[in-house]
Amino acid sequence: MSSWNTCGPDTAHVTFKEGGGRTPMELSALLEEFQKLYDLPTNPLVRDKGISGFDSAAVDKPAGLRLDWTRSGGDGANAGFFCLQVKGAWFEAADGEVQADFLQLLEAYGIYRVTRLDFQQTTGTRKYLTPWFIDEFESGRMRVVGRKHYEPRGAKDHLGEYPRGATLYHGSRTSERFARQYDKHLQAQYGPPRRRDEVEIKGETSRNLWASLQQALITAEQQGITRGATLHAFSKSAIRALLPIRDTSRWIGEPLPRKWTEMATEPTTWATLFDDEPMTVKPRERRVSSLLKSYRYAMDNFGAAITCMWVQRAAQAELRGLEGVNAWQAATYEMLTDAAESANEDRVRDFFAEMPPSEAIKAHQNWLSAKDDLLEWREVRENSPM
């Protein structure tokens, strides 16, 4: 059973920016060379339409790799960027040392931003499968610190069991820190009974974890510790920290005390899976975005000039024959057109990059559309006799 016990990274999404010799074509060739060097699964790339706002994609399904890109000069918010998705299939095919080589290769290539990083542990067991954990959570004997919600999914039979498997979700799928538990042997349809615990990390937390992991691998090399063992230990520590299961059985039938997170301990069935202490994960902060900081700076320093210019433009509109609200509307359009016309495209992209990807793409499309409308309005106004 122990040969089926694994722990390590499970998914990575990393974004690169063209320049300094970095292109999607060059990275694709580098990935192909890496796969062949380590005798990892690979097939000729299949070209596809890009996802998440990218124009194009190359997919190596046997390898578990997908590369999406929009070349510099292309349209949309992702122009000049390319994103590599390293899926679970890739990590399953590589041992710890090869995984470490690959992750360090990506870091050395010059990552622009890490957007997702998952870790998994798979444990051979016949008793402590996912339905057992579902019972523990539904009865109130277990809780996860920092997760208001858990959600069991799966088809029950007439005995209330899950013959085709179940999944237990912790937290919101859209949050930075999400976790799931499921029975791997039923999902994979082979091998002995085993449960998989996964943490899916996005946003700032994923970037912090990536930086900590890279530093841990460098330190391991300096100290003569195998990087594979370091990767395994780091993954265990990350899972223990980001899926903090606690035993709340002593409060069944009662409201949890206000400081239950400090009082409750790990269930023995969970604690025995780990040798090292959980890593310290930086608390999520109410972060002020760069967009908001820049906006506040502009208002504090230029609010007076902007307001005065607006009043002056309205007065000029009245001299052209516009009255009341129409004059103020014309002044507003002129000010917005000035801002849109002079806006730095790279800065706009950076601001939108702070948003969730689906929202960022829509926001950038709206900005481009609004900019075109404003410039068209200015051209019409300048050619109008009024």
Side-chain angles (χ1 to χ4, degrees):
M1 185 80 75
S2 61
S3 62
W4 296 92
N5 292 350
T6 62
C7 184
D10 187 55
T11 297
H13 292 184
V14 293
T15 302
F16 303 89
K17 186 175 184 179
E18 281 197 51
R22 290 182 299 273
T23 68
M25 304 306 113
E26 183 191 61
L27 179 59
S28 178
L30 192 62
L31 295 174
E32 181 182 5
E33 182 180 335
F34 188 95
Q35 294 298 104
K36 291 178 178 178
L37 176 65
Y38 287 98
D39 197 26
L40 294 171
T42 185
N43 258 352
L45 295 176
V46 176
R47 293 294 292 269
D48 198 2
K49 180 176 173 59
I51 59 174
S52 300
F54 288 98
D55 285 345
S56 307
V59 181
D60 187 342
K61 190 172 182 180
L65 299 172
R66 178 187 179 97
L67 185 63
D68 291 86
W69 69 86
T70 299
R71 296 306 303 270
S72 295
D75 295 328
N78 294 325
F81 290 86
F82 48 108
C83 177
L84 176 66
Q85 295 185 19
V86 188
K87 301 177 183 292
W90 188 92
F91 288 103
E92 287 182 6
D95 63 29
E97 288 295 319
V98 174
Q99 291 178 16
D101 265 352
F102 188 71
L103 297 176
Q104 289 184 306
L105 171 66
L106 296 180
E107 176 71 9
Y109 192 66
I111 288 175
Y112 177 75
R113 179 179 285 116
V114 176
T115 56
R116 178 174 165 184
L117 189 59
D118 297 6
F119 295 95
Q120 65 81 22
Q121 68 175 3
T122 304
T123 308
T125 179
R126 293 186 180 277
K127 179 179 180 181
Y128 301 116
L129 294 169
T130 305
W132 183 88
F133 273 86
I134 290 175
D135 288 342
E136 293 296 293
F137 277 90
E138 289 185 333
S139 68
R141 290 189 292 268
M142 286 185 184
R143 287 281 298 270
V144 174
V145 176
R147 305 289 196 283
K148 293 182 179 179
H149 307 289
Y150 70 88
E151 181 184 4
R153 286 191 184 181
K156 289 185 178 181
D157 62 14
H158 65 287
L159 298 175
E161 297 180 351
Y162 299 90
R164 287 186 287 180
T167 302
L168 180 58
Y169 295 104
H170 301 283
S172 167
R173 183 65 187 266
T174 58
S175 69
E176 277 196 12
R177 305 174 186 188
F178 173 71
R180 67 176 71 81
Q181 297 174 280
Y182 61 93
D183 296 331
K184 183 64 177 178
H185 62 292
L186 295 176
Q187 183 259 349
Q189 294 293 300
Y190 70 88
R194 57 199 189 277
R195 186 194 71 255
R196 173 167 285 200
D197 309 307
E198 296 178 352
V199 292
E200 179 182 308
I201 311 303
K202 300 182 285 292
E204 189 67 25
T205 305
S206 70
R207 291 186 275 280
N208 292 339
L209 273 179
W210 178 272
S212 297
L213 173 57
Q214 293 294 333
Q215 184 57 54
L217 294 174
I218 292 172
T219 302
E221 287 183 286
Q222 294 171 344
Q223 296 177 349
I225 302 171
T226 64
R227 290 171 305 155
T230 299
L231 194 55
H232 179 275
F234 186 95
S235 302
K236 280 279 189 180
S237 185
I239 292 168
R240 194 175 193 180
L242 294 162
L243 185 53
I245 297 177
R246 295 294 182 264
D247 181 353
T248 53
S249 59
R250 65 201 235 189
W251 297 297
I252 287 181
E254 304 173 13
L256 289 174
R258 189 167 60 90
K259 295 186 177 181
W260 72 270
T261 57
E262 300 174 15
M263 302 162 64
T265 59
E266 286 180 314
T268 304
T269 52
W270 183 250
T272 53
L273 300 177
F274 306 97
D275 296 322
D276 299 320
E277 291 297 312
M279 66 173 57
T280 300
V281 179
K282 184 179 180 182
R284 285 168 290 183
E285 301 173 351
R286 290 182 60 85
R287 196 163 56 91
V288 178
S289 67
S290 295
L291 172 60
L292 185 54
K293 286 180 181 177
S294 294
Y295 179 79
R296 287 174 176 171
Y297 178 85
M299 292 300 100
D300 289 342
N301 292 275
F302 310 116
I306 292 171
T307 303
C308 291
M309 181 61 72
W310 181 50
V311 173
Q312 184 177 325
R313 293 284 181 87
Q316 292 170 353
E318 289 178 344
L319 293 176
R320 296 197 303 269
L322 296 177
E323 297 180 354
V325 68
N326 291 327
W328 289 107
Q329 185 181 59
T332 301
Y333 268 58
E334 287 183 17
M335 301 291 289
L336 289 172
T337 306
D338 286 346
E341 194 170 26
S342 61
N344 183 301
E345 175 70 26
D346 289 337
R347 195 72 174 129
V348 170
R349 185 185 292 111
D350 288 342
F351 285 148
F352 287 145
E354 296 175 337
M355 304 167 63
S358 59
E359 295 179 21
I361 293 168
K362 181 64 175 175
H364 196 269
Q365 291 171 343
N366 288 342
W367 181 78
L368 291 173
S369 177
K371 181 179 179 181
D372 289 342
D373 289 345
L374 288 167
L375 294 177
E376 183 179 348
W377 173 87
R378 169 169 284 176
E379 183 178 358
V380 170
R381 189 191 65 75
E382 290 177 347
N383 292 312
S384 173
M386 180 175 285

